[in-house]
Amino acid sequence: MDSILLEDNPHWLNKEAYSTFTPREALAKALSFLKTQEILAIIGARRVGKSTLAKLLIHELLKTVNAKNIFFINLEKTEFIPYKNDAVYLEKIYEAYLKLANPNKDEKIYFFIDEVQIFQNWEVFVKNRYENSNIKFIITGSNSSLLTSNYATVLTGRVLKLQMQSFNFREFLDFKEIKHSTKLEMTANRIEIKRAVDEYLKWGGYYSVISNSDEMIKKEYLKNIAEDIILKDIVPRYNIKNSQTIRDLFYYCVSNAAGTLNYSSLAKKLNCDPKMIKEYIGYFEDNFLISTIPSFHNKLTSQISSAKKLYLSDNGFLNLGVSRTKNLGTSLENLVFNELYKNDEDLTYLKESVEVDFYSKNRLYQVSYDISDEKTRKRELGAFSHFKKEGDSCKLITYDINERVDDVEIQSVDLFLL
């Protein structure tokens, strides 16, 4: 046990252990949450950087906190798997930490638990220690249900949630060392920024993908990420018997991103029950692989029952589809969706005789990669007038055009993302 704990806590011996980690924008918000008593839950898909953010937090804490009062443990370690159904083992891990590190018990202990959902009934251990100790818990998890159902009941009012995604475009530019923080820098580096847009549209923001230049390896990384989520998280968690069906469904979703879901049609294609398809789609959402949005209706019941449009959580997954041709329009729409959805989980689309791609906070958004064709331009702009009501504004996002047409702002994707 001692060697496992030491392996996960190199900062006990070296305060600069995490000094080379890539910065993330979420760090500022996470640091503000550290000042509260509540449990900080960092949630998000596998490999989006939850553990990295936790270690960036540790690096900041080390400036003012005794290193031995900061404890990190990764519950995915193979040594812990045999005990995953025994929450009491979490007490044994904690007691082993106290004995080995001998933290100052008169000061707060910062207890980081990585991939906490691995252990059954983890919330009981956290609640008991939270109420009876001077401990600040920071937990990470790869499932959005981490804080719902039975967990929510046990930890009601005790948790602050922070959701992580793969690198956004600003972080992507920082990683590539392309300066963009002022209008002057954006103008000076406009060519490099446009090249970066092309790369980001195609490959998304997973660190393991953007840090590798070989396209075959990039694609393999993306496949591994998706299948790890499906086979290591979804299949065992929901006791799915036929893993091939759920894998096939995911790859079908990839090939039909930005399209409308039809459970009956999907069930026929995969030779299974529509109810099962609906459940599997829910599992993909719960584990941050995809998101779905409804059509806007004034009646909530109608909105809930409306046909859902489907989007992928990272543009890189679009490379795993079976389509032989690259659809730049889909790539752009999926990218815009993810940017909007970060700030509005009540995002919808509008559809009657015509369609507007997104409706968010009294703003209508259309997405069109290329509007040089007059027919396309007229169609995209005309859809706004069908739905626009008093108080609404309109924005058309394209690849490279910036102008205003009457009351519609036309904006290039790089400016939209920045």
Side-chain angles (χ1 to χ4, degrees), residues 194-323:
K194 272 300 181 188
R195 285 185 188 137
V197 167
D198 294 340
E199 186 178 345
Y200 191 69
L201 270 170
K202 181 175 182 180
W203 293 109
Y206 273 100
Y207 179 81
S208 57
V209 176
I210 65 176
S211 60
N212 198 294
S213 58
D214 187 306
E215 295 204 350
M216 272 185 51
I217 296 176
K218 283 176 181 282
K219 192 170 180 179
E220 197 61 31
Y221 273 134
L222 287 159
K223 183 179 179 182
N224 288 343
I225 292 167
E227 298 210 346
D228 272 359
I229 294 170
I230 294 168
L231 300 177
K232 292 183 180 179
D233 293 335
I234 296 175
V235 168
R237 181 180 180 84
Y238 303 104
N239 197 26
I240 293 170
K241 299 293 189 289
N242 189 345
S243 60
Q244 187 59 47
T245 298
I246 196 168
R247 286 174 75 254
D248 290 345
L249 176 60
F250 173 70
Y251 289 115
Y252 182 87
C253 289
V254 168
S255 301
N256 291 273
T260 305
L261 278 169
N262 184 314
Y263 299 120
S264 297
S265 174
L266 278 171
K268 287 180 182 177
K269 291 179 186 294
L270 298 174
N271 194 28
C272 60
D273 187 84
K275 183 181 177 183
M276 180 185 292
I277 295 294
K278 191 173 183 179
E279 287 177 352
Y280 286 0
I281 292 292
Y283 299 157
F284 292 155
E285 287 197 86
D286 204 27
N287 289 271
F288 308 105
L289 267 176
I290 69 166
S291 295
T292 63
I293 59 171
S295 174
F296 177 82
H297 286 274
N298 288 317
K299 290 184 178 180
L300 183 60
T301 51
S302 298
Q303 183 165 300
I304 291 171
S305 61
S306 68
K308 306 295 189 294
K309 286 184 73 176
L310 176 150
Y311 295 93
L312 303 173
S313 61
D314 185 274
N315 264 41
F317 290 135
L318 289 166
N319 291 280
L320 304 180
V322 295
S323 175

Side-chain angles (χ1 to χ4, degrees), residues 166 174 277 299 333 349 381 383 407:
S166 54
D174 288 339
I277 295 294
K299 290 184 178 180
E333 186 176 337
Y349 69 97
L381 293 172
D407 61 347

Side-chain angles (χ1 to χ4, degrees), residues 10 14 35 72 86 96 100 109 120 138 153 176 181 184 192 212 234 237 245 261 315 332 349 363 365 374 391 394 404:
N14 176 16
K35 298 172 185 176
F72 180 97
D86 179 15
L100 176 64
I109 289 174
Q120 295 291 319
I138 302 93
T153 303
K176 297 185 80 65
S181 57
L184 185 63
E192 288 83 355
N212 198 294
I234 296 175
R237 181 180 180 84
T245 298
L261 278 169
N315 264 41
L332 184 59
Y349 69 97
R363 176 168 280 186
Y365 293 88
E374 188 58 33
C394 303
R404 178 169 284 276

Side-chain angles (χ1 to χ4, degrees), residues 15-16 19 27 31 56-67 70:
K15 286 191 174 185
E16 298 302 313
S19 60
L27 179 60
L31 284 169
L56 288 168
L57 282 172
I58 292 174
H59 184 68
E60 291 298 316
L61 282 171
L62 287 168
K63 296 173 182 177
T64 56
V65 177
N66 177 2
I70 305 170

